[in-house]
Amino acid sequence: MDLLPAAEQAQLQQELRRHCARHVPMERVRAGLDAGLWRELTELGVFDLPVVETALLFEELGRALVPGPFVGAHLLPDRGMVAVVDARTGPLLVAHLASADTLVVLGDAGIGEVPAAAVPATAVPSVDPLTPLHRLTALPRVSWRGGPALSAAWRRTGALLTAATQVGIAGAVLDRSVRYARQREQFGRPVGAFQAVKHLLAEMAVRLELARAAVHAAAVAVADAVADAADDVESAVCAAKLLADEAAVGNARDAVQAHGGVGFTWELDLHLYLKRAWVHAAQFGTAEECAERLAHLLV
């Protein structure tokens, strides 16, 4: 088992990073879900790759803060924009439902599909202005397929890819904070020279590397999963989601602090990273749910 990306995988990740740097500036991100960008990502094959490579690419989507229902597009790559809802959760909140072509329902009996336009739902406020939310007024009637095993596997994949996106967010805000600490001067010195700021950035880096390692390990575990090791795979995914959520939310909060007064402004993009991290932290298992499930599996 190799937990480090191969040269070809690292090159694939760098290619998407360069594409996002050239074609996805923050002005385009702030405009919201972009159908043209969705087509670009589809043509690049972002959603059609094996899970290990997909996790690396989702990290770059998180780094660039690209909005969209990407997990569903990986689960059903031939259905256009795909929103996902877990029938076990309440309330039944769905991200990007109005833009989606298909809604996938993850239930105890399997998975089901329904046209997104046919689903009764009400728009609700979202903490992230780039991730619109709808609450389903009722669970749609679907024909279940795949059984509980497929539904559980898709939940694990969703948690893994959401964790990978969180790693990208954690890395992006750390990079921004390091650049600011080098450039901003106080008392004739860069603020990064002060011990308090050094410690803050170091803690952010530790969170990031722990989360990244856990996500890579979980991606390999999911890719190599066998039936008699399902609990080990779920443990790896739960740990990855737990650490990635902590890294994204914690790093985004600390990035605001590292930027001082300007970190709280609307013009700076840090608040968008923090809000996206909060949204992802509630998807495919909260910190409390992941910790409880992990404890149950390890006991």
Side-chain angles (χ1 to χ4, degrees):
M1 179 183 295
D2 189 352
L3 300 184
L4 293 177
E8 296 82 2
Q9 293 171 329
Q11 183 178 4
L12 185 67
Q13 185 178 16
Q14 289 299 321
E15 284 295 329
L16 183 57
R17 181 176 298 188
R18 283 191 287 268
H19 179 86
C20 290
R22 287 194 302 265
H23 301 293
V24 194
M26 285 306 299
E27 292 80 9
R28 191 175 186 184
V29 170
R30 281 177 175 257
L33 181 57
D34 185 333
L37 177 57
W38 186 274
R39 286 193 297 271
E40 292 173 23
L41 295 174
T42 302
E43 291 168 1
L44 288 171
V46 171
F47 309 123
D48 297 327
L49 295 170
V51 70
V52 174
E53 287 77 7
T54 301
L56 293 172
L57 297 185
F58 271 50
E59 181 178 336
E60 296 309 314
L61 296 178
R63 173 181 289 274
L65 207 65
V66 181
F70 299 123
V71 169
H74 172 77
L75 296 175
L76 286 176
D78 59 344
R79 300 290 200 280
M81 292 190 190
V82 180
V84 181
V85 65
D86 190 341
R88 301 184 309 177
T89 63
L92 298 171
L93 296 178
V94 185
H96 299 288
L97 179 64
S99 302
D101 302 297
T102 303
L103 176 67
V104 169
V105 183
L106 305 180
D108 290 332
I111 65 107
E113 301 173 43
V114 64
V119 177
T122 303
V124 295
S126 174
V127 67
D128 177 12
L130 305 179
T131 306
L133 294 176
H134 283 76
R135 179 188 291 114
L136 303 189
T137 55
L139 194 65
R141 295 175 63 87
V142 297
S143 297
W144 301 109
R145 63 180 176 86
L150 179 62
S151 183
W154 280 23
R155 284 191 185 96
R156 286 195 295 270
T157 300
L160 168 66
L161 297 180
T162 303
T165 307
Q166 293 282 63
V167 168
I169 291 173
V173 295
L174 173 59
D175 290 347
R176 285 169 175 257
S177 299
V178 170
R179 285 197 301 270
Y180 183 81
R182 287 172 173 168
Q183 296 168 359
R184 177 75 168 93
E185 292 191 358
Q186 191 71 24
F187 305 112
R189 303 170 63 191
V191 295
F194 296 102
Q195 189 175 36
V197 178
K198 287 181 181 179
H199 284 188
L200 192 68
L201 298 178
E203 289 169 359
M204 293 170 68
V206 169
R207 285 194 207 104
L208 171 62
E209 292 307 318
L210 283 173
R212 179 176 285 140
V215 168
H216 288 179
V220 173
V222 169
D224 295 343
V226 293
D228 59 355
D231 285 353
D232 292 338
V233 175
E234 188 168 0
S235 295
V237 172
C238 285
K241 181 65 163 57
L242 191 62
L243 289 169
D245 287 344
E246 180 182 350
V249 174
N251 280 15
R253 282 175 170 165
D254 285 351
V256 172
Q257 182 178 352
H259 281 72
V262 72
F264 292 87
T265 61
W266 180 265
E267 291 74 17
L268 206 66
D269 301 317
L270 291 177
H271 68 97
L272 295 175
Y273 283 94
L274 178 57
K275 292 168 181 175
R276 183 70 57 79
W278 278 333
V279 169
H280 287 324
Q283 295 173 327
F284 295 100
T286 64
E288 293 78 10
E289 290 168 346
C290 288
E292 184 175 350
R293 181 59 180 157
L294 189 59
H296 174 76
L297 291 168
L298 293 178
V299 172

